[in-house]
Amino acid sequence: MSQEKVNLLNLTFPQLRKYFDSLGEKPFRAQQVMKWIHQFGIDDFDEMTNLSKKFREILKEKAEVRGPEVISEEVASDGTCKWALRLDGGQAVEAVFIPEVSRGTLCISSQVGCILDCQFCSTGKQGFSRNLSLGEIIGQLWYATRSLGTMHTSGVKAVTNVVMMGMGEPLLNFNNVVGAMNLMMDDNAYGLSKRRVTLSTSGLVPALDELIKYTDVALAISLHAANDKLRDELVPVNKKYPIKILLDSVKRYIEQSTAVKKVTIEYVMLSGVNDTEKDAHDLAALMKNIPCKINLIPFNPFPGTDYVCSSGNRMHAFEKTLMDHGLIVTIRKTRGEDIDAACGQLVGKVKDRTRRLERRLRKQEQLVNVQTHLD
């Protein structure tokens, strides 16, 4: 029985060095291979020309570079691109690339579905299946970089920012997310700065307190309410970690960080729910001693929801109230709405695509079995 190959996308730089050591290779080989995989987007060992032929043969026998399989690619009218990616086991996640004049942002998933069930998020309504492996997380960046053109092939770094804001709660997949983010920032891989890698969390305080021990990437907090009663309803994890406990953790993170000077507060705008003048004043009072910028997010509807997005006038009035309190505020521009790639929409038709793919694969397997029987 043949031994399963090691997928090198699943390994951090220290793990790759350790693996090559087990093969009797020098540590510098890890740096060479890391660059081939992540900077050049190469998955064929024969193309890694600064490795000895003998070592390349060993790698072909024992290892592989296997990214996620692309089910579909959709491009919105504003240039936003969404990929549905098939994982091991037939499940799927979605990743979104948002191009802008001065940067390109990739929104990455960390789980299949989400267990937290935030009421305004379509992903939460999908339910939770499993965590992604390190390779499945970094594989989204690896695929996007190859698809858009690596720095070495196009002369431009297409993905300049990564946000862990896709499907799932990143802090519930702690080890794999931290490992993937550290790869994103590794100079031998993607070389992104700490300020250009952002983790968004609904507020798992123990994991957030632990995060600063391993990395201090940029931080975004999915707040969405200025009082515990409303946040208990919108973001159920608040019942376990109320707003004060969460914000105390945020302050500790900022104080200990070497790179992060302020946190992003994410606040989805829901008409008649959290968008009143009083809500704005209450939010301003909460943020008084928190170094932050507030990102007001237009709610993106999905089938089955009763929530409605606040009007443009209401959002601008909310923004003005916060700014009058001296806060930095932006209203997020909705991107990719026509392909269900906007914030809170990352589930779309991914389950339907997965079911179609699984049916197609079963038919292919049946045809193979029939042909084998005839032979």
Side-chain angles (χ1 to χ4, degrees):
M1 186 165 133
S2 61
Q3 187 176 7
E4 186 176 352
K5 291 185 175 182
V6 175
N7 185 0
L8 300 188
L9 277 180
N10 265 318
L11 304 183
T12 62
F13 186 44
Q15 290 170 337
L16 192 61
R17 290 183 63 173
K18 186 175 181 181
Y19 176 61
F20 285 173
D21 181 64
S22 73
L23 297 178
E25 287 294 326
K26 299 292 184 182
F28 73 89
R29 293 297 186 197
Q31 183 178 18
Q32 291 176 318
V33 173
M34 182 77 75
K35 288 181 176 179
W36 280 116
I37 295 172
H38 297 289
Q39 293 185 2
F40 288 84
I42 299 299
D43 58 358
D44 184 347
F45 295 122
D46 281 332
E47 293 184 39
M48 300 181 183
T49 52
N50 58 352
L51 306 181
S52 69
K53 185 175 180 181
K54 179 182 177 182
F55 185 38
R56 279 180 274 167
E57 292 301 319
I58 292 173
L59 288 175
K60 284 192 285 185
E61 178 187 350
K62 297 180 177 295
E64 63 181 349
V65 180
R66 179 168 48 85
E69 178 186 345
V70 180
I71 300 172
S72 67
E73 176 179 317
E74 298 175 86
V75 180
S77 56
D78 62 11
T80 297
C81 184
K82 181 173 75 169
W83 296 286
L85 305 169
R86 182 175 181 266
L87 310 171
D88 289 341
Q91 295 164 315
V93 292
E94 294 179 334
V96 174
F97 176 69
I98 304 168
E100 296 178 81
V101 174
S102 59
R103 65 181 179 180
T105 301
L106 183 69
C107 183
I108 284 181
S109 297
S110 58
Q111 297 180 310
V112 182
C114 184
I115 201 171
L116 295 187
D117 195 26
C118 295
Q119 295 305 295
F120 50 84
C121 180
S122 67
T123 304
K125 301 307 174 186
Q126 178 183 347
F128 173 75
S129 295
R130 69 173 177 87
N131 286 328
L132 301 191
S133 68
L134 189 157
E136 289 169 337
I137 297 170
I138 202 66
Q140 296 168 68
L141 176 55
W142 180 79
Y143 175 79
T145 301
R146 292 183 82 200
S147 177
L148 299 166
T150 68
M151 181 74 175
H152 294 279
T153 56
S154 67
V156 177
K157 183 181 281 188
V159 179
T160 62
N161 296 62
V162 173
V163 290
M164 300 297 304
M165 295 182 185
M167 297 170 68
E169 163 56 58
L171 291 182
L172 283 175
N173 189 8
F174 191 91
N175 290 337
N176 291 335
V177 165
V178 169
M181 291 191 305
N182 285 338
L183 257 180
M184 295 171 196
M185 296 181 289
D186 195 310
D187 287 339
N188 294 308
Y190 301 93
L192 299 177
S193 75
K194 293 178 180 180
R195 295 180 184 180
R196 292 182 177 270
V197 177
T198 302
L199 181 142
S200 174
T201 177
S202 295
L204 278 76
V205 170
L208 181 55
D209 284 339
E210 194 73 7
L211 182 66
I212 196 64
K213 300 176 184 178
Y214 298 94
T215 187
D216 57 347
V217 294
L219 186 65
I221 300 296
S222 293
L223 192 66
H224 312 302
N227 64 77
D228 284 323
K229 182 179 179 182
L230 180 56
R231 194 166 192 265
D232 284 350
E233 176 188 332
L234 297 178
V235 188
V237 73
N238 191 74
K239 296 173 185 176
K240 191 166 186 179
Y241 307 112
I243 292 173
K244 184 182 184 307
I245 292 174
L246 171 58
L247 294 182
D248 284 345
S249 178
V250 169
K251 284 191 279 190
R252 288 193 294 272
Y253 186 91
I254 295 172
E255 288 166 0
Q256 296 175 66
S257 172
T258 59
V260 179
K261 303 305 178 187
K262 61 171 63 77
V263 64
T264 298
I265 300 297
E266 298 171 309
Y267 195 96
V268 67
M269 299 296 293
L270 304 170
S271 180
V273 177
N274 66 350
D275 65 346
T276 67
E277 191 71 8
K278 183 180 185 305
D279 289 317
H281 286 293
D282 289 348
L283 180 59
L286 268 183
M287 296 298 112
K288 184 177 180 181
N289 297 313
I290 306 286
C292 69
K293 57 181 178 180
I294 298 176
N295 197 352
L296 303 179
I297 305 170
F299 171 67
N300 295 299
F302 54 88
T305 184
D306 293 326
Y307 292 115
V308 176
C309 182
S310 304
S311 69
N313 288 341
R314 182 81 289 265
M315 281 190 278
H316 285 293
F318 200 94
E319 176 190 35
K320 183 179 184 304
T321 298
L322 293 174
M323 292 176 70
D324 287 344
H325 281 275
L327 293 166
I328 301 170
V329 190
T330 58
I331 297 176
R332 181 181 292 177
K333 182 180 179 182
T334 299
R335 299 291 301 270
E337 191 174 16
D338 52 333
I339 57 168
D340 290 337
C343 183
Q345 291 183 315
L346 286 194
V347 58
K349 301 174 183 177
V350 67
K351 289 195 287 186
D352 293 335
R353 294 189 195 102
T354 303
R355 283 193 285 268
R356 288 198 298 271
L357 177 65
E358 289 172 343
R359 286 197 295 269
R360 189 162 67 247
L361 290 173
R362 282 197 296 270
K363 287 180 181 178
Q364 290 174 354
E365 290 170 357
Q366 290 167 358
L367 289 172
V368 169
N369 289 337
V370 168
Q371 186 63 47
T372 302
H373 178 72
L374 291 174
D375 292 343

